[in-house]
Amino acid sequence: MIYLEGFCTVIFLTLIFKFLIVSKKYFKGWQKIVMGGALTYLVFFELNGLGKAPGLFGDEAFNFYNSWSLAHFGVDSNLLHNPVYSVSAGGQSILYEWLAVPFMKTFGMNLVAYRFPMAFLTILSVLFLIFALYKNKVTPKIILGVSVSLSTAEWLLMYGHWAMDCNIVVPMFIFAVGFIILSFTQKKIYGYVGIVLIDLMAYCYVGAWISLPFIFIGTICFLYNLEKFNKKDIYRLIFISAVLLFPIFCYVLVQFIGVKPFKFLWFTVASLPQTRAANSMISFSGNIINNVISNLASGLGQLITGNDSWLQTSIPGYAVIYFLMFLLMIYGVVCVVKEKKNVVTKFLIILSFSLIPLILFVQANFTHWAVVLFIAYLWAGIGLGKLFELAGKRIVKVVILLTVFIVSVDFTHYFFKDYTNTEVTANQIPSYVIDFNNSKKFVSELDNLHVKTYYGFPFYNSDRPSNNIEFLECIKRPNPHKISRLEEKYQPSIPTQITSGSAAYIIPEDQVDNYNYLESLPSKILRVNGQNYVVFYKGN
């Protein structure tokens, strides 16, 4: 994988360099330096250390194994063939599973290979959006501002560096916006592609469903008013969308209307024990207005501080840059409201209003509000560009760029050096996040004991009473038809006495005194995910 990462790094840097050369008359020298630096930073950040930072998250592990299983066995861990919506982890979107399948087929169960499409598409989507703005003759300083705001957005850098099923909604949305903006001055086919990508967002994250109809209708109406689409185009797009979304309609029938699970063509439509849509919504009991206001206040606080209390999606301690971008977002909105609006800002306004249902009724955090964050940082980029356009204020401009640079350097150092260890240590229940490479070594050392059963195995997600061996599935790569054998061999509980037959008993070092009956057995100390374990073992 290191060769693929290196090759793609060279390709992206070549594209950036070529873009700056081709547009040399459009941008001033200092603008090209800043823009090129910001985009280069994005490339190196996303394609570096994909297998090390962050740790492997529990929900990510489900998708990781399912993608590998689909690539090699044609079914996921639940033995479903081409599910419309995965039943793993209480329900997961399936688009990213399929995007990663070719890489799982080629490189096997490799965390870098699994995360690579996310990083690649995140970079490509941002570069494509910048290109689309350029083709629309957006002012150079606005393009520069957007390049800086997106390339250094810590939430986006983190999103592109790991592969939760829902994370793919961000690059998909960026691509959709880019293609639609490109259609303003180019052929209408780009508008078609943008609408199709909006359709496909339904397979990315169920939490975004509440706003997708508004984005879809608003975009089509906007392109119609621009005379980019005629009525025939609209009819074609409605038909295309109906075909693309038919599997989703089937899922809705099964999940919400009560139709029995069924297979259609090559799809499997299964029901979920719970729905992620319901879990991501605010409470509709009690005073709904108060609930909405509380959610808005929470979301506003997160935008300002950069902390949504989830270490997987935000890192506390970088409020300066988030607060700066929040102020630039407000400034960008105010500037656009006061001046004559161009076609791009008009479209951005439509997208912003389309997200109101999501902002009001979906619980505020960086996962649920990912598309909101993208639009917010587009506004911040416009605000930064407007600041660059002001005459004078050179010291203010330099201070802002230096602040972004210094914070980005500090954030990058922390992310690649300390973040995984901090995340793993903070999220042990006992194992909601693991250091994947360290954990594989730990399991390998356990397997060298050659015993029949392992008790007290620590990679179980105790937050779920069943179907919770996602980490072990990724490490051991079992045939999906034989997963139950893993659960028999690696058990989370510890018996009250030494069992018959060969076995290992994995005890946290600080709890050894509670298991005096094991003292007669030989033991060894192993360390994994920041925790020492005393492993007592007995052969045949």
Side-chain angles (χ1 to χ4, degrees):
M1 285 300 299
I2 189 171
Y3 297 106
L4 180 60
E5 291 173 298
F7 174 76
C8 289
T9 298
V10 172
I11 293 297
F12 280 130
L13 293 182
T14 301
L15 288 174
I16 293 170
F17 180 76
K18 184 175 181 180
F19 172 71
L20 293 176
I21 293 297
V22 170
S23 61
K24 61 182 179 180
K25 294 183 179 180
Y26 199 70
F27 298 100
K28 294 181 179 180
W30 73 270
Q31 295 168 354
K32 289 190 286 187
I33 292 172
V34 174
M35 186 188 308
L39 295 174
T40 298
Y41 168 70
L42 172 68
V43 171
F44 277 103
F45 188 101
E46 295 294 27
L47 293 179
N48 180 56
L50 285 171
K52 298 177 181 178
L56 181 62
F57 186 61
D59 285 4
E60 182 185 22
F62 277 112
N63 252 42
F64 185 16
Y65 176 79
N66 282 341
S67 185
W68 177 84
S69 181
L70 287 167
H72 293 275
F73 298 96
V75 295
D76 65 9
S77 59
N78 301 286
L79 304 182
L80 295 179
H81 180 69
N82 295 333
V84 172
Y85 202 81
S86 174
V87 302
S88 296
Q92 291 187 308
S93 303
I94 51 88
L95 182 61
Y96 191 76
E97 284 185 13
W98 283 106
L99 289 176
V101 161
F103 296 88
M104 297 291 95
K105 190 74 172 180
T106 304
F107 299 101
M109 184 69 80
N110 184 308
L111 186 56
V112 176
Y114 174 67
R115 288 174 170 175
F116 177 80
M118 186 71 73
F120 180 88
L121 291 173
T122 298
I123 298 168
L124 188 61
S125 64
V126 172
L127 296 182
F128 182 75
L129 177 62
I130 299 304
F131 175 75
L133 294 174
Y134 167 73
K135 295 298 287 185
N136 268 269
K137 303 298 182 181
V138 173
T139 62
K141 292 179 180 178
I142 296 295
I143 297 176
L144 173 62
V146 173
S147 299
V148 172
S149 68
L150 291 181
S151 295
T152 62
E154 293 168 6
W155 66 270
L156 181 59
L157 293 170
M158 293 177 68
Y159 250 79
H161 220 265
W162 66 306
M164 271 275 284
D165 61 299
C166 55
N167 287 15
I168 191 62
V169 74
V170 176
M172 289 291 286
F173 192 36
I174 298 175
F175 271 124
V177 172
F179 272 104
I180 292 164
I181 289 176
L182 198 60
S183 73
F184 297 161
T185 57
Q186 306 296 317
K187 296 178 181 179
K188 70 170 64 177
I189 186 62
Y190 295 110
Y192 272 68
V193 174
I195 297 298
V196 167
L197 289 171
I198 292 172
D199 293 336
L200 294 179
M201 285 172 64
Y203 294 92
C204 295
Y205 186 46
V206 68
W209 284 8
I210 192 171
S211 278
L212 286 183
F214 299 97
I215 296 173
F216 179 88
I217 294 171
T219 300
I220 286 183
C221 291
F222 184 70
L223 290 173
Y224 179 76
N225 288 333
L226 285 179
E227 297 183 350
K228 293 297 177 180
F229 284 170
N230 54 40
K231 291 184 178 180
K232 288 184 178 180
D233 293 315
I234 294 176
Y235 296 147
R236 291 191 192 105
L237 284 167
I238 291 174
F239 175 77
I240 292 170
S241 298
V243 172
L244 289 173
L245 295 175
F246 184 75
I248 290 290
F249 296 148
C250 292
Y251 163 72
V252 170
L253 289 175
V254 170
Q255 187 64 45
F256 300 103
I257 308 301
V259 175
K260 292 183 178 180
F262 63 92
K263 291 185 178 182
F264 178 76
L265 297 177
W266 54 88
F267 298 108
T268 300
V269 186
S271 62
L272 307 177
Q274 57 183 343
T275 68
R276 287 296 178 97
N279 293 341
S280 64
M281 303 294 284
I282 66 170
S283 173
F284 288 97
S285 60
N287 191 320
I288 297 178
I289 295 178
N290 283 347
N291 295 340
V292 169
I293 294 173
S294 177
N295 190 58
L296 288 173
S298 175
L300 186 63
Q302 292 169 28
L303 283 174
I304 293 173
T305 64
N307 183 9
D308 70 348
S309 300
W310 285 88
L311 198 54
Q312 293 80 25
T313 52
S314 65
I315 298 177
Y318 293 95
V320 171
I321 195 67
Y322 280 94
F323 183 59
L324 174 61
M325 289 299 164
F326 177 78
L327 293 179
L328 289 172
M329 177 191 72
I330 299 298
Y331 182 66
V333 171
V334 171
C335 288
V336 169
V337 168
K338 289 182 177 180
E339 66 185 17
K340 184 178 179 180
K341 300 164 188 61
N342 58 45
V343 65
V344 173
T345 53
K346 287 179 181 178
F347 178 56
L348 185 53
I349 290 170
I350 288 175
L351 290 179
S352 302
F353 277 103
S354 298
L355 293 176
I356 288 177
L358 190 155
I359 294 171
L360 292 178
F361 302 116
V362 175
Q363 292 179 16
N365 62 48
F366 283 7
T367 297
H368 298 161
W369 278 27
V371 293
V372 176
L373 284 169
F374 165 61
I375 295 299
Y377 272 66
L378 269 184
W379 283 113
I382 291 174
L384 182 57
K386 292 295 182 183
L387 190 64
F388 287 148
E389 289 178 349
L390 290 177
K393 308 290 184 181
R394 180 171 296 181
I395 294 178
V396 174
K397 300 171 187 176
V398 172
V399 168
I400 289 176
L401 289 177
L402 280 177
T403 301
V404 172
F405 175 77
I406 292 170
V407 173
S408 295
V409 170
D410 182 62
F411 173 77
T412 302
H413 178 266
Y414 174 78
F415 184 84
F416 289 108
K417 186 176 185 294
D418 300 319
Y419 175 55
T420 298
N421 183 61
T422 302
E423 183 190 31
V424 167
T425 303
N427 288 279
Q428 293 298 300
I429 58 172
S431 290
Y432 204 51
V433 177
I434 65 171
D435 182 320
F436 187 58
N437 295 323
N438 181 227
S439 299
K440 287 197 296 183
K441 181 180 178 182
F442 175 77
V443 172
S444 178
E445 290 176 326
L446 287 179
D447 288 346
N448 288 336
L449 298 176
H450 303 293
V451 298
K452 181 180 180 180
T453 309
Y454 296 87
Y455 295 105
F457 190 75
F459 300 163
Y460 275 75
N461 181 358
S462 61
D463 194 42
R464 297 191 185 94
S466 61
N467 191 25
N468 56 6
I469 60 168
E470 62 270 23
F471 296 119
L472 193 54
E473 292 171 356
C474 295
I475 293 170
K476 299 295 291 183
R477 297 171 295 175
N479 183 313
H481 298 274
K482 300 178 180 179
I483 289 177
S484 60
R485 296 183 185 180
L486 280 183
E487 296 179 286
E488 295 171 3
K489 186 172 184 177
Y490 300 89
Q491 300 186 20
S493 60
I494 300 173
T496 56
Q497 60 183 6
I498 297 174
T499 61
S500 60
S502 62
Y505 306 85
I506 307 165
I507 312 296
E509 191 175 41
D510 58 358
Q511 299 178 25
V512 168
D513 292 343
N514 298 330
Y515 300 91
N516 294 327
Y517 62 88
L518 297 174
E519 291 180 352
S520 61
L521 300 178
S523 65
K524 61 188 302 184
I525 296 178
L526 299 178
R527 183 174 178 81
V528 66
N529 298 320
Q531 173 73 53
N532 286 335
Y533 292 90
V534 179
V535 182
F536 299 90
Y537 55 94
K538 182 186 67 151
N540 291 317

